[in-house]
Amino acid sequence: MRPMKNLYYIGIVLLTLVSCNSQPEQKWLTDYVNPLIGSGGHGHVFVGASVPFGMVQLGPTSISQTWDWCSGYHQDEASVIGFSHTHLSGTGIGDLFDVTVMPVTGEVIYARGNIEEPESGLWSMADRTQEIAEAGYYAVPLTRYGIKAELTATSRVGMHRYTFPEATDAAIVIDLQNGGCWDRTTEAFMQAEGDNRIVGYRRSRGWAADQHVYFVAELSKPFSNFTLNGPDNLYGRVSFATVQGEEVLMKVAISPVSIDGARLAIQSEMPGWDFDVTREDARRLWNNELGRIRIESPCDELKRVFYTAMYHTMMAPALFNDVDGKYRGADGNIYHSPTPRYTNFSLWDTYRAKHPLMTIMQPEKAGQFVAYM
């Protein structure tokens, strides 16, 4: 694809459409992205770690389940019930928040809890004065437990890095109960495989009438035991002891088809444990996609607004097939596709601007979006 010759002038901004194979500018375009823009008011944008059009959107989920928390995050409340692997962004309805992971120390109540009672669940306040939100990376301290959480992702796998205090009763809890604002669990299962892996699935009913999410979670540190807790055993706790400043890594792959599909995702996309390399790979993917459109302006603020908006256009649709091409159809049956399938089409008004933009910015994907809706 050769660079297009047309130039579009918007105020003082010179905008040029270019091939995605063009050489990147010296300054990373991801430096202009601020994922927190749109997370207040009625913005409903996702805040967390992902790659362009990825299946995984790994980020914090708050206690609140009202309309302004459709994405799981809002500037007005810093509570965290855990870090979920699926979120919606910019929608007017809440759903997803599947496979929520929360690092803890000590005994906890296995519930979502409420903001008026600090120990009513396993939730914690986040120290947003130390929060970092970047394209492909998110980090925040959890004040209740003294744990620093860091997140990054590939298309189908979320990677967690938790820095623990010294504790004989440290743990990571997998929560299959708590979903989005209009979502409830209908069936769930999880079990341990050896001393460093948990597998399972969650079925739910919400915006999606019967959603299936299967997962495989692997830890860099062996756990001493695994227990099921809470209502209907929907909370799985892996326990271990930690020393001050110890980092425990966890990678969680998801699949709409099967546990084996999630297992294949880890093998294909994240066989190792290098968090920083995964973070850098995610940043590079975002930089390449943002490089499809270049703007020239002496005002960095204009670039920040533009590239953040462009970043938000690539949160959805989200990838919906496994590495081997399998996906779950709307009829519940399993199919195979040689090309990517996508889901999470929020079409309310996006047909006016976003989807026409995709035909210019992502012509190869736009065809896939339309063909498989």
Side-chain angles (χ1 to χ4, degrees), residues 88-93 207 316-318 343-352 354-355 373:
L88 295 173
S89 186
T91 62
I93 193 169
W207 191 10
T343 189
N344 294 352
F345 289 89
S346 179
L347 296 178
W348 192 326
D349 286 344
T350 60
Y351 72 91
R352 299 176 188 271
K354 173 176 174 173
H355 294 287
M373 284 178 59

Side-chain angles (χ1 to χ4, degrees), residues 192-205:
E193 289 185 350
D195 61 1
N196 79 323
R197 185 183 297 114
I198 305 296
V199 303
Y201 64 84
R202 179 179 188 257
R203 293 179 64 180
S204 61
R205 184 176 185 86

Side-chain angles (χ1 to χ4, degrees), residues 299-321:
C299 178
D300 280 355
E301 186 60 26
L302 282 176
K303 293 182 180 181
R304 189 168 297 109
V305 170
F306 180 86
Y307 284 111
T308 299
M310 189 175 173
Y311 164 83
H312 283 139
T313 69
M314 291 182 276
M315 288 297 165
L319 190 66
F320 194 59
N321 61 280

Side-chain angles (χ1 to χ4, degrees), residues 5-43:
K5 296 180 180 179
N6 295 337
L7 301 181
Y8 297 85
Y9 290 88
I10 306 175
I12 64 170
V13 178
L14 174 64
L15 181 151
T16 310
L17 298 175
V18 300
S19 165
C20 62
N21 295 320
S22 298
Q23 292 299 312
E25 299 175 354
Q26 287 187 345
K27 183 176 178 66
W28 285 72
L29 297 178
T30 51
D31 292 342
Y32 296 114
V33 173
N34 180 1
L36 298 176
I37 293 176
S39 64
H42 304 314

Side-chain angles (χ1 to χ4, degrees), residues 199-261:
V199 303
Y201 64 84
R202 179 179 188 257
R203 293 179 64 180
S204 61
R205 184 176 185 86
W207 191 10
D210 183 21
Q211 184 192 3
H212 297 237
V213 176
Y214 299 83
F215 73 91
V216 172
E218 294 185 355
L219 283 83
S220 61
K221 180 182 179 69
F223 45 82
S224 57
N225 64 345
F226 169 70
T227 58
L228 294 173
N229 307 274
D232 300 317
N233 288 330
L234 293 177
Y235 296 79
R237 176 178 176 135
V238 295
S239 301
F240 40 78
T242 54
V243 298
Q244 179 65 37
E246 182 175 355
E247 294 179 351
V248 178
L249 280 76
M250 186 179 199
K251 46 190 178 183
V252 180
I254 61 173
S255 162
V257 175
S258 66
I259 291 172
D260 285 341

Side-chain angles (χ1 to χ4, degrees), residues 23-182:
Q23 292 299 312
E25 299 175 354
Q26 287 187 345
K27 183 176 178 66
W28 285 72
L29 297 178
T30 51
D31 292 342
Y32 296 114
V33 173
N34 180 1
L36 298 176
I37 293 176
S39 64
H42 304 314
H44 296 192
V45 301
F46 162 69
V47 174
S50 66
V51 296
F53 305 104
M55 183 183 296
V56 165
Q57 301 91 34
L58 174 58
T61 298
S62 294
I63 288 177
S64 294
Q65 293 180 282
T66 54
W67 190 63
D68 279 334
W69 275 261
C70 286
S71 72
Y73 182 103
H74 196 277
Q75 287 183 359
D76 289 350
E77 184 196 299
S79 67
V80 177
I81 67 165
F83 302 97
S84 308
H85 289 78
T86 60
H87 289 82
L88 295 173
S89 186
T91 62
I93 193 169
D95 203 340
L96 308 185
F97 303 178
D98 299 285
V99 192
T100 300
V101 171
M102 186 65 170
V104 302
T105 58
E107 293 301 315
V108 296
I109 294 176
Y110 297 96
R112 192 183 196 101
N114 63 78
I115 198 71
E116 290 77 23
E117 300 178 65
E119 296 185 2
S120 56
L122 49 76
W123 67 276
S124 170
M125 296 302 290
D127 182 356
R128 289 190 176 168
T129 66
Q130 299 185 57
E131 180 181 52
I132 300 173
E134 301 173 350
Y137 174 76
Y138 178 82
V140 75
L142 302 174
T143 58
R144 176 178 176 181
Y145 303 111
I147 296 171
K148 180 183 178 182
E150 297 176 90
L151 313 172
T152 190
T154 62
S155 290
R156 300 173 179 86
V157 188
M159 194 172 204
H160 310 238
R161 180 163 66 187
Y162 298 124
T163 304
F164 280 86
E166 181 177 0
T168 58
D169 50 7
I172 294 176
V173 177
I174 300 175
D175 172 6
L176 300 185
Q177 179 181 47
N178 292 291
C181 300
W182 288 272

